[in-house]
Amino acid sequence: MPDSNLAGGLSNRSEEQVSGAKVVAQALKTQDVKYIFGVVGIPVTEIAMAAQELGIKYIGMRNEQAACYAASAIGYLTGRPGVCLVVSGPGFIHALGGMANANMNCWPLIVIGGSSERNQETMGAFQEFPQVEACRLYSKFSARPSSIECIPSVIEKAVRSSIYGRPGACYVDIPADFVTLQENASAIKYKECCMPPPVSMAETSAVCKAVSVLRNAKQPLLIIGKGAAYAHAEESIRKLVEQCNLPFLPTPMGKGVVPDNHPNCVAAARSRALQFADVIVLLGARLNWILHFGLPPRYQPDVKFIQADICAEELGNNVSPAATLLGDINAVCKQLLEQFAKTPWQYPAESKWWKTLREKMKSNEAVSKELASRNSLPMNYYTVFYHIQEHLPRDCFIVSEGANTMDIGRTVLQQCLPRHRLDAGTFGTMGVGLGFAIAAALVARDRSPGQRVICVEGDSAFGFSGMEVETICRYNLPIILLVVNNNGIYQGFDVDTWKEMLKYQDASIASPPMCLLPNSHYEQVMIAFGGKGYFVQTPEELQNSLRQTLADTSKPSLINIMIEPQGTRKAQVRIHWAWWRYTPLIPALGRQR
């Protein structure tokens, strides 16, 4: 008779085997993950390859930080987390910036990090680092599966945690020995794809109280945050604005939920609207630094806030709200509309408040137009942005980062569609631009081929992730990079002043900290990788280059736009920077002068 133990052993050896890398990939596929961004190496290369075999799009980036920014933007744009795949130690640490940014912005993100082998822990293994512990400050959930069989359940929980409640970053640690370790395929049980987050509604009594407070407002204001954009609340918010005739103000990434060109948008009178409103409704917007904490002198001391947010902990931050609406922003807005439908109410168009806001808007818009119409060279910010605005496709994504570049661009570049603007966000992060643009271009390509991404960068901001231009060209993404170049951080110097300074001292002493090399040809970076590059100094050159890049969808492009180095947000008059004012800090230079 045959030996039963021998027969069983032969059966086990012949059973199909699967590697840990393939289990990770299949678990991600099961959870409807469509995009992975990363920089591969030991021990995660096999995970990226396994993901590609399953049809998950892997985008190889040049830096883990940019990869993490891209993955988080996918989460915001699609509602399902993107994945950032990184190697152990330094690769993981580089991704922490992206995790922190995602958590601050409340965007879904999964980071999968390779780590050292389990049997080498505490021995000084290659790139050994306490990764699970390190990222707890930057994530909602952080775990290492205890076995290959546990990988699917841990990944399912990470995906679910990233999108449920207040969205955020989650981390899954994969030891190096798991990646190649083989396991019987039949032992792996994949979890079903987690459902979209449940839709929560505010208490009816809270909704009634909010409606009562709003009805009694003399000077109401609606503030639309990116939480409203993420909640896809555009239809209900627009109805609320129009039915109640409410003035509204979008936060930077709340732009487009209701189009910027809507007659009730008072963005051009932002300071006046905030300072004198007596009732403010916050829809997915936080009273943080972007909204001056809701405190005087930017607001009236007795202003009444109505807060609507998905996160209970956010309600009551910095202020004592008159009403709090805990729930999904879209659902809450529908509740408000239902109450107003029972007893219709509309804020009077002939009110003094509307007159005040419109007069201020008209005045500020006139100042901006006057600045934009100046013919002096170099160009100023307003001239550049008004020409860009004239050429923007209505459905394009706009990515913006920088200091003055982002702030002024937000006031001039109009947004007509929700979730079509990405910028430095709640964390004020520089370096996000190219990663965000890559994510937006991938989403645009999948949804609407031919849709463009316009990435507007300050020259300093571009420097943080400029090598991602190679990534853009490698995947031939429909991105137009506009580098608004003032030769510095906030402000810079012209070539003549720069050369004059260096006559007296080496640059490490004579050059102010905000100065960058004048007239740097960033467009050559794009040309080096096969894209199109333009160096422009006049409005005519800017217009021509915009027409050419928008007409040609075959290649990505970069337009390097030279502007007044001393340009600011206010009336921009050319200032001949007195560089010798730095001489008290530079004794040697002071003695020579």
Side-chain angles (χ1 to χ4, degrees):
M1 294 181 64
D3 188 320
S4 59
N5 291 329
L6 179 60
L10 291 172
S11 175
N12 288 336
R13 283 198 295 272
S14 63
E15 187 173 347
E16 183 183 355
Q17 300 282 294
V18 62
S19 69
K22 291 190 175 182
V23 172
V24 171
Q26 184 60 60
L28 293 173
K29 178 75 172 179
T30 304
Q31 296 305 318
D32 198 27
V33 167
K34 292 182 169 61
Y35 304 94
I36 297 177
F37 303 82
V39 181
V40 295
I42 299 171
V44 299
T45 303
E46 291 86 350
I47 296 175
M49 296 171 67
Q52 284 185 319
E53 289 178 9
L54 294 175
I56 298 175
K57 296 182 179 179
Y58 174 80
I59 297 88
M61 306 284 282
R62 301 305 300 267
N63 181 279
E64 290 91 355
Q65 206 168 49
C68 210
Y69 294 144
S72 67
I74 287 290
Y76 172 65
L77 295 171
T78 70
R80 301 294 292 191
V83 169
C84 177
L85 180 66
V86 298
V87 300
S88 52
F92 162 82
I93 291 170
H94 290 167
L96 288 178
M99 292 180 71
N101 190 67
N103 248 19
M104 291 293 184
N105 274 333
C106 310
W107 289 356
L109 166 70
I110 305 296
V111 174
I112 294 179
S115 60
S116 50
E117 296 187 15
R118 292 170 298 164
N119 62 0
Q120 295 176 355
E121 285 184 359
T122 74
M123 296 176 64
F126 175 65
Q127 296 182 334
E128 182 178 2
F129 192 74
Q131 295 174 187
V132 176
E133 295 85 349
C135 73
R136 292 198 192 279
L137 286 175
Y138 308 92
S139 62
K140 292 181 66 179
F141 170 78
S142 174
R144 171 193 276 190
S146 58
S147 65
I148 290 181
E149 293 93 332
C150 291
I151 288 174
S153 61
V154 171
I155 285 179
E156 186 276 339
K157 184 169 183 179
V159 170
R160 177 161 40 88
S161 298
S162 77
I163 60 177
Y164 278 35
R166 171 180 276 180
C170 294
Y171 176 69
V172 178
D173 193 77
I174 304 295
D177 50 310
F178 274 15
V179 175
T180 56
L181 188 64
Q182 300 287 316
E183 182 58 80
N184 292 336
S186 61
I188 311 299
K189 307 299 181 185
Y190 294 96
K191 300 270 287 187
E192 289 185 9
C193 182
C194 70
M195 300 298 291
V199 175
S200 55
M201 300 173 69
E203 293 183 356
T204 302
S205 59
V207 175
C208 292
K209 184 177 181 181
V211 167
S212 176
V213 172
L214 189 53
R215 285 180 188 274
N216 292 314
K218 299 292 189 292
Q219 297 178 166
L221 178 66
L222 198 67
I223 298 180
I224 304 171
K226 68 174 176 289
Y230 183 80
H232 289 246
E234 52 268 20
E235 184 178 347
S236 57
I237 291 179
R238 184 164 185 164
K239 285 181 180 178
L240 184 64
V241 166
E242 293 176 349
Q243 289 183 19
C244 297
N245 192 36
L246 293 170
F248 75 89
L249 178 70
T251 63
M253 274 188 275
K255 286 165 64 71
V257 171
V258 182
D260 285 346
N261 58 6
H262 192 283
N264 287 39
C265 180
V266 295
R270 181 182 187 274
S271 295
R272 182 66 55 89
L274 294 177
Q275 189 172 10
F276 294 103
D278 67 343
V279 173
I280 295 177
V281 183
L282 294 160
L283 297 176
R286 290 173 279 178
L287 289 175
N288 54 21
W289 66 275
I290 294 176
L291 290 176
H292 316 289
F293 313 107
L295 300 175
R298 289 300 190 116
Y299 296 82
Q300 292 295 304
D302 58 351
V303 61
K304 295 179 179 179
F305 286 100
I306 299 170
Q307 287 183 281
D309 203 283
I310 194 69
C311 178
E313 290 84 353
E314 193 61 42
L315 303 175
N317 267 356
N318 302 324
V319 300
S320 297
T324 56
L325 305 172
L326 176 62
D328 174 83
I329 300 301
N330 191 32
V332 167
C333 286
K334 288 179 179 178
Q335 289 179 279
L336 292 170
L337 287 168
E338 288 173 3
Q339 289 298 318
F340 282 120
K342 294 176 182 177
T343 309
W345 171 82
Q346 188 174 76
Y347 185 70
E350 67 279 4
S351 67
K352 184 178 179 181
W353 179 231
W354 262 123
K355 182 180 178 182
T356 299
L357 292 174
R358 290 197 170 112
E359 286 177 352
K360 187 61 177 175
M361 289 166 63
K362 186 176 180 180
S363 171
N364 287 346
E365 287 167 354
V367 171
S368 295
K369 287 179 181 178
E370 191 278 327
L371 288 167
S373 65
R374 292 184 180 179
N375 295 319
S376 59
L377 295 176
M379 294 180 285
N380 65 47
Y381 283 104
Y382 290 88
T383 301
V384 168
F385 285 126
Y386 271 97
H387 285 299
I388 293 172
Q389 175 60 38
E390 286 181 356
H391 290 82
L392 283 181
R394 183 181 182 277
D395 66 344
C396 72
F397 285 90
I398 298 177
V399 179
S400 182
E401 68 168 329
N404 293 324
T405 298
M406 185 175 65
D407 290 343
I408 299 172
R410 183 185 71 244
T411 66
V412 180
L413 303 179
Q414 292 198 337
Q415 216 74 43
C416 295
L417 299 173
R419 297 170 298 282
H420 276 60
R421 176 184 168 85
L422 299 163
D423 66 24
T426 307
F427 213 26
T429 308
M430 292 296 103
V432 297
L434 273 68
F436 283 3
I438 289 168
L442 291 165
V443 171
R445 177 178 284 178
D446 288 348
R447 289 180 181 173
S448 179
Q451 192 176 19
R452 308 303 292 276
V453 175
I454 313 297
C455 183
V456 187
E457 300 270 302
D459 50 331
S460 171
F462 176 76
F464 281 85
S465 54
M467 277 303 292
E468 299 302 336
V469 167
E470 187 273 335
T471 308
I472 292 170
C473 289
R474 184 169 11 114
Y475 293 100
N476 197 29
L477 297 173
I479 297 172
I480 299 173
L481 293 169
L482 306 177
V483 178
V484 183
N485 189 348
N486 69 347
N487 300 335
I489 304 170
Y490 301 112
Q491 294 180 325
F493 295 130
D494 58 33
V495 174
D496 292 339
T497 304
W498 171 257
K499 290 180 178 178
E500 192 68 22
M501 283 194 303
L502 297 189
K503 286 181 181 179
Y504 297 92
Q505 199 76 15
D506 69 87
S508 63
I509 298 175
S511 173
M514 74 283 281
C515 188
L516 299 174
L517 188 66
N519 290 10
S520 294
H521 281 263
Y522 298 111
E523 79 283 354
Q524 294 295 329
V525 178
M526 179 65 80
I527 293 171
F529 296 117
K532 293 190 174 182
Y534 304 82
F535 184 82
V536 306
Q537 295 176 291
T538 68
E540 293 74 23
E541 292 173 346
L542 175 57
Q543 290 175 0
N544 289 336
S545 61
L546 285 168
R547 290 192 195 99
Q548 291 177 42
T549 54
L550 287 167
D552 183 3
T553 60
S554 64
K555 291 182 178 181
S557 57
L558 188 154
I559 304 175
N560 187 13
I561 308 166
M562 302 307 301
I563 66 166
E564 165 58 56
Q566 294 294 308
T568 65
R569 295 179 63 180
K570 303 300 181 183
Q572 296 176 22
V573 179
R574 184 175 175 83
I575 301 172
H576 294 280
W577 186 270
W579 54 265
W580 49 83
R581 290 177 184 171
Y582 277 85
T583 54
L585 303 177
I586 313 171
L589 182 56
R591 287 194 296 271
Q592 292 176 6
R593 183 167 61 86

